[in-house]
Amino acid sequence: MGLASKYEDIIHQELKLHAAWLPVTDPFKLGDYGQISNGVFEKLGNIFTDFGVSFTDEPGKDISFNFISEKTVVVDSGANAGVNITPQAEIKANVTYKFQKDESFLINAPIINVSIINNVNQVAIKLKETDGWKRKFIVVSKVYTAKKALIIGANEGGTEVTISAEGNGLEQFNVGEASVKFSLKTNKKLGLEIKGETGVIALGLFKLRLIGGGPTFLGDEVEGGEDESDENPFEDLDGQKLSEVN
């Protein structure tokens, strides 16, 4: 599947959103448009810059997101060395994460700021009437920016990652707090390693319907069910289909 597709699956299943790949690294913005390639959104441009279509935006409610792949064993490597810890517990300092499966993830984003296009219907009407706009284009309508996120992607099962934090007696920490400094040690090369950085980790996406031209949101259930007139509405450039509903 690959780490990119696995990350997309996690974001879609857990948040009903879509992956910003690479997370944190790529500077996605509201109004960006593109297509699906290799299972993830690939930016081509921005609707305002390229087509002159403006929009209004507003902040959404902040959220948090913590995720650890199944079959991951978490072991205390500090004062209680060797003691297993519940994987769903909050991220702790001086613990080792033993990823048993290929393409495993550890995601800790305690603070995520949300920005939203609040006039999507008007934007869809403008795009429908815009020369050069293609119905297969997908538009970013929501941007989820994580502050000082920790994201680890392990390509191989058997990868072990130990998180160590500075400070005497520090047992539990919030990666989103600037006062905390931490380091990682691993026994294998990681496929993705983002330590305490700020950037976009997830996206809300929409495209125009084939009939009527109104917006269809990827990842949201459509009122009244799917529009059967949209055959393969979210098709990957490489032949994969990005499901409209979970």
Side-chain angles (χ1 to χ4, degrees):
M1 178 182 289
L3 282 180
S5 294
K6 185 63 177 180
Y7 183 74
E8 162 67 26
D9 284 350
I10 292 169
I11 296 300
H12 185 220
Q13 292 171 9
E14 299 294 325
L15 298 177
K16 300 297 184 290
L17 297 168
H18 295 280
W21 188 264
L22 289 166
V24 175
T25 304
D26 289 348
F28 294 100
K29 300 182 298 183
L30 290 176
D32 285 347
Y33 72 92
Q35 295 176 303
I36 302 302
S37 179
N38 294 319
V40 294
F41 177 76
E42 182 177 90
K43 176 182 174 178
L44 297 176
N46 188 274
I47 60 173
F48 179 72
T49 303
D50 295 356
F51 296 101
V53 175
S54 59
F55 53 86
T56 59
D57 62 275
E58 64 182 7
K61 184 178 179 180
D62 290 355
I63 65 171
S64 62
F65 181 51
N66 294 295
F67 177 87
I68 301 176
S69 293
E70 62 178 0
K71 305 297 184 183
T72 300
V73 177
V74 186
V75 180
D76 194 322
S77 56
N80 298 312
V83 177
N84 286 10
I85 302 171
T86 303
Q88 288 73 27
E90 293 186 41
I91 304 298
K92 295 171 68 68
N94 302 316
V95 294
T96 298
Y97 293 84
K98 299 182 178 181
F99 299 107
Q100 305 298 303
K101 298 178 65 176
D102 293 348
E103 299 170 357
S104 290
F105 274 89
L106 165 63
I107 304 171
N108 179 245
I111 303 173
I112 303 175
N113 299 141
V114 184
S115 55
I116 303 170
I117 292 179
N118 62 11
N119 62 332
V120 170
N121 285 331
Q122 289 87 342
V123 170
I125 292 171
K126 293 179 183 177
L127 290 174
K128 180 182 176 182
E129 299 172 348
T130 298
D131 290 338
W133 182 259
K134 299 180 180 180
R135 294 291 181 90
K136 63 184 178 182
F137 289 158
I138 298 168
V139 182
V140 175
S141 59
K142 298 179 182 179
V143 171
Y144 291 72
T145 302
K147 291 187 175 182
K148 301 188 180 299
L150 171 65
I151 304 176
I152 296 171
N155 286 314
E156 302 178 41
T159 299
E160 299 183 8
V161 178
T162 299
I163 300 179
S164 299
E166 296 181 5
N168 294 329
L170 181 61
E171 295 180 353
Q172 189 166 307
F173 68 96
N174 184 342
V175 177
E177 294 178 357
S179 59
V180 173
K181 295 181 180 180
F182 61 95
S183 60
L184 303 179
K185 293 182 180 180
T186 180
N187 66 337
K188 295 184 179 182
K189 184 178 180 181
L190 296 173
L192 181 65
E193 180 181 343
I194 297 172
K195 300 184 298 182
E197 298 178 37
T198 296
V200 180
I201 66 167
L203 305 169
L205 305 172
F206 79 90
K207 73 184 294 289
L208 303 190
R209 289 186 177 276
L210 295 178
I211 297 177
T216 294
F217 295 91
L218 284 72
D220 290 345
E221 293 189 358
V222 180
E223 185 176 353
E226 287 191 53
D227 185 346
E228 295 181 356
S229 64
D230 283 3
E231 182 179 358
N232 293 333
F234 309 119
E235 187 175 354
D236 193 308
L237 291 173
D238 304 289
Q240 303 177 34
K241 184 180 176 184
L242 189 60
S243 178
E244 176 179 335
V245 296
N246 190 26

